Amino acid sequence: MKRVTLLAGHYGSGKTNIAVNMAINAATENAGKRLAIADLDIVNPYFRTEDSREELEAAGIRLICSGYANTNVDLPSMPDDLYAITDDHDLQVIIDVGGDDRGALALGRLSGALKEENDYDMYMVINCYRPLSRDPESTVEIMREIEWAGRMPFTGLINNSNLGRDTTAEDVLNSIPYAEKISELTGLPVFATSVENSLFEELKEKIPNLMPLKLQKRPV
Amino acid sequence: MAEKVLMKGNEAIAEAAIIAGCRHYFGYPITPQTEIAAYMAKRMPKIGGVFLQAESEIAAINMVYGCSSAGKRVMTSSSSPGISLKQEGISYLAGSDLPCLIVNAQRGGPGLGGIQPSQSDYFQATKGGGHGDYHLIVLAPASVQEMAELTIKGFELADKYCMPVMLLADGTTGQMMEPVTFDFDVKPAPEKPWATTGTKMQREHNIVNSLYLQPEKLEVTNLERYKKYETVKENEAMWEEFMTEDADVVVAAFGIAARVSQNAVIEARKQGIKAGLIRPITLWPFPETPFKKAAEHAKAFISVELSMGQMIEDVKLSVSCTKPVYFCGRVGGMIPSPAEVLSAIKKADGGDR
């Protein structure tokens, strides 16, 4: 795992959930390592890493997040300890970038230092069941917009194709050609396919690099 | 798009509007409904439609007025403080008998309030909101699928009765993600001979207006409009009932409050309490029929709302105050828990209030 892992993509693609899961897994695997999760969303005031604060802190993970996330202060604001991400080279960081190009704009502030250090992976989280990223071409279009806004090139893909609580193993399997096609169009590897814990056993033999996810929020 | 997709409520509204033939969206961003505008900004240019971010909510609603006058299916969306700003324009639309769809993803108030969900614009939506005697048809979705369905229904009703329709959602239903299918037969917009589409020198001028210089004439238009409202009341009330047939305690709730209440009703039944739920889908016209029927056997009603108690007045009117109607709710962006509703059900069942 590189020092910095960035997760970006269309909004609602599952970035935050994957970021929190990756952080907790990394904390378990590398006990003793200083680890942080950074929430760079400046657009959406809901569904933030802040929702998982208790769980993250219990795992010894530092939360770099705007003090206004999940409050009524609906302002585009950055964390006050933002530069720990680029200044502290002993800190392992997972960055949850905001959705779409609008959300990725804030990343441009850090991209120079991240590219210079060159110890990062940036994954595009994709979901073929979201209406604006249903086919490979429209997904690649969103991807290019994010790269332009965030001033960072992607290094891989995470296929998080799902239909929320209705997701079946078949839905996940049907999304594989979509992810492969995007990989072909962009020349980037599919780093992982992520599924909710309940589908993991059924699919682990069928899909390479399958990543189990614990859902952070349950619907009403 | 017959297969399932995973959508936010706000996106489902936008996509359904496009399916309904709406090619004109005018709005101004405000949390928690900005995804509607964002979706329209992305989709409209690709399908030959218009997305226009106006300089204010007031400008946006007046653009809706103009576009509707020209006979097009048109919409705007906002959240509570923005909907307050639109009230003058909404009154003009009602006074000119113009169809349109207005979405309100309600947030906590009054004033700027907060950005968390609320249902405290019930009075504003159902009792007028702007000046003068008028009503909007008010639809209250409780799931992402229903947000899509009621958006299409909203355009159809607006055209059928030549009046504005409001989709009264809230911050939760707008933000939550659920699978949704877009498998609809949409009724195309009817002919609009009154629209200001140009005379081509072949007919008299059409005038769309809410100004009447003679009081006698203004009175007649008001009386005619209220006859139309009677037809809407008779034909368009929609609701859903859950375990009400033998219920002792009947919960009334719409939108997100109905989802919480349904869980509470299920739990109450497990504990041996005969509870039921009436979920109004139209808030105006208010579905009086199921309440009158339930009042024949129920000993009490509870209105569960994300407000200080607004729909409760319509519940009381529907049962003509023959049975006690209690209130259970949270405000300021808070949502009542199923446990809170269950405890209200138990109290009402015991009658010890």
Side-chain angles (χ1 to χ4, degrees):
Chain A
M1 198 173 181
K2 300 276 176 65
R3 187 182 78 77
V4 178
T5 305
L6 297 113
L7 296 160
H10 182 37
Y11 75 87
S13 59
K15 298 175 295 298
T16 302
N17 198 33
I18 293 174
V20 169
N21 273 273
M22 279 179 118
I24 287 171
N25 291 345
T28 324
E29 284 162 21
N30 309 298
K33 179 110 184 134
R34 289 170 58 240
L35 185 67
I37 183 165
D39 178 346
L40 291 197
D41 197 343
I42 53 164
V43 178
N44 194 339
Y46 311 103
F47 312 114
R48 304 288 291 263
T49 41
E50 177 70 37
D51 295 329
S52 307
R53 179 179 281 278
E54 274 178 35
E55 197 181 354
L56 290 164
E57 284 179 349
I61 300 163
R62 173 175 170 187
L63 181 54
I64 299 176
C65 179
S66 162
Y68 298 127
N70 274 11
T71 72
N72 275 336
V73 186
D74 185 13
L75 290 172
S77 59
M78 298 293 278
D80 51 14
D81 49 353
L82 176 72
Y83 294 112
I85 298 170
T86 45
D87 290 350
D88 185 349
H89 284 203
D90 292 327
L91 188 66
Q92 178 104 33
V93 190
I94 290 161
I95 303 181
D96 177 15
V97 180
D100 286 345
D101 49 344
R102 290 178 294 274
L105 208 59
L107 179 61
R109 189 67 195 88
L110 302 176
S111 63
L114 290 173
K115 283 189 284 192
E116 196 185 322
E117 184 197 357
N118 197 22
D119 190 6
Y120 74 90
D121 269 315
M122 175 151 140
Y123 300 117
M124 169 85 184
V125 180
I126 56 177
N127 179 357
C128 65
Y129 298 107
R130 293 280 292 138
L132 296 183
S133 61
R134 299 217 71 196
D135 53 72
E137 289 73 21
S138 55
T139 311
V140 172
E141 188 184 316
I142 294 172
M143 212 172 144
R144 297 303 178 217
E145 289 167 0
I146 293 171
E147 287 179 324
W148 184 87
R151 302 286 193 269
M152 297 273 291
F154 282 102
T155 62
L157 308 167
I158 294 179
N159 179 16
N160 188 49
S161 293
N162 75 90
L163 276 166
R165 54 161 199 250
D166 285 10
T167 317
T168 62
E170 203 190 339
D171 293 328
V172 180
L173 289 168
N174 286 342
S175 75
I176 303 295
Y178 157 85
E180 282 170 354
K181 179 74 188 168
I182 296 171
S183 175
E184 188 192 314
L185 287 171
T186 59
L188 298 176
V190 180
F191 168 74
T193 299
S194 44
V195 293
E196 208 204 332
N197 270 328
S198 58
L199 291 173
F200 183 73
E201 284 303 317
E202 192 178 345
L203 289 169
K204 67 177 179 188
E205 306 298 332
K206 295 178 183 159
I207 300 173
N209 304 323
L210 195 66
M211 181 197 294
L213 291 179
K214 187 184 152 204
L215 273 193
Q216 300 303 304
K217 276 210 149 181
R218 279 278 167 197
V220 180
Chain B
M1 219 196 302
E3 320 109 80
K4 269 189 210 168
V5 282
L6 183 65
M7 275 185 144
K8 282 196 177 207
N10 286 336
E11 296 171 330
I13 290 172
E15 183 60 36
I18 290 168
I19 290 169
C22 171
R23 291 293 178 275
H24 296 82
Y25 173 94
F26 305 99
Y28 186 82
I30 181 171
T31 308
Q33 63 76 54
T34 305
E35 291 85 1
I36 301 177
Y39 196 94
M40 288 302 199
K42 204 131 195 160
R43 289 275 280 126
M44 282 299 196
K46 292 182 180 172
I47 53 172
V50 172
F51 163 84
L52 199 148
Q53 180 172 324
E55 67 267 35
S56 71
E57 286 86 348
I58 299 167
I61 193 72
N62 284 295
M63 289 171 187
V64 169
Y65 184 104
C67 188
S68 179
S69 302
K72 299 293 181 187
R73 279 194 165 162
V74 55
M75 73 176 288
T76 185
S77 62
S78 192
S79 177
S80 307
I83 294 290
S84 291
L85 279 166
K86 289 183 196 288
Q87 289 303 328
E88 182 195 50
I90 294 172
S91 170
Y92 278 50
L93 282 153
S96 305
D97 300 303
L98 286 173
C100 70
L101 183 74
I102 302 155
V103 179
N104 180 2
Q106 300 168 86
R107 55 188 251 181
L112 260 184
I115 59 170
Q116 303 300 332
S118 163
Q119 298 180 325
S120 52
D121 302 346
Y122 180 92
F123 282 153
Q124 187 195 53
T126 60
K127 311 294 177 194
H131 58 281
D133 284 312
Y134 74 91
H135 282 291
L136 309 174
I137 293 175
V138 184
L139 307 172
S143 68
V144 176
Q145 183 67 44
E146 207 175 45
M147 284 173 112
E149 286 165 12
L150 292 182
T151 296
I152 287 166
K153 179 96 183 164
F155 279 108
E156 289 172 353
L157 288 172
D159 278 340
K160 183 173 176 188
Y161 294 104
C162 275
M163 60 189 287
V165 172
M166 179 172 279
L167 191 71
L168 194 69
D170 65 73
T172 316
T173 44
Q175 290 295 323
M176 67 189 184
M177 286 174 87
E178 285 179 339
V180 45
T181 332
F182 291 89
D183 197 5
F184 301 115
D185 285 327
V186 181
K187 289 189 196 104
E191 288 292 311
K192 295 178 180 176
W194 47 264
T196 53
T197 50
T199 65
K200 299 179 184 76
M201 307 303 273
Q202 285 166 5
R203 60 161 167 82
E204 288 299 301
H205 289 279
N206 280 341
I207 298 172
V208 176
N209 183 31
S210 67
L211 174 67
Y212 291 86
L213 297 180
Q214 294 160 323
E216 294 84 358
K217 185 91 198 300
L218 181 54
E219 185 182 43
V220 169
T221 62
N222 270 282
L223 294 174
E224 290 295 320
R225 194 171 295 123
Y226 267 68
K227 272 189 208 158
K228 173 172 80 181
Y229 291 162
E230 282 308 312
T231 316
V232 177
K233 279 191 193 172
E234 275 165 36
N235 297 315
E236 306 298 347
M238 291 191 287
W239 70 91
E240 193 178 78
E241 290 182 64
F242 179 72
M243 309 194 98
T244 47
E245 233 158 65
D246 62 339
D248 290 334
V249 179
V250 174
V251 178
F254 67 95
I256 190 68
R259 291 171 71 124
V260 176
S261 299
Q262 184 157 338
N263 288 334
V265 164
I266 292 168
E267 188 53 37
R269 286 272 170 176
K270 275 187 202 157
Q271 297 185 19
I273 302 168
K274 286 185 186 170
L277 170 70
I278 298 173
R279 176 171 77 87
I281 298 172
T282 51
L283 300 180
W284 195 92
F286 191 76
E288 294 181 352
T289 313
F291 287 98
K292 285 192 202 314
K293 207 176 88 201
E296 289 166 14
H297 50 80
K299 57 182 169 192
F301 291 79
I302 306 169
S303 191
V304 179
E305 306 174 50
L306 275 64
S307 75
M308 292 300 291
Q310 300 190 13
M311 182 178 73
I312 188 171
E313 296 191 2
D314 285 327
V315 177
K316 283 181 179 171
L317 286 169
S318 296
V319 301
S320 307
C321 296
T322 52
K323 294 290 166 66
V325 183
Y326 303 116
F327 178 70
C328 169
R330 298 286 300 269
V331 288
M334 305 302 292
I335 300 176
S337 66
E340 282 171 287
V341 179
L342 179 63
S343 127
I345 292 172
K346 282 181 177 168
K347 259 190 188 169
D349 187 51
D352 58 347
R353 286 212 190 199

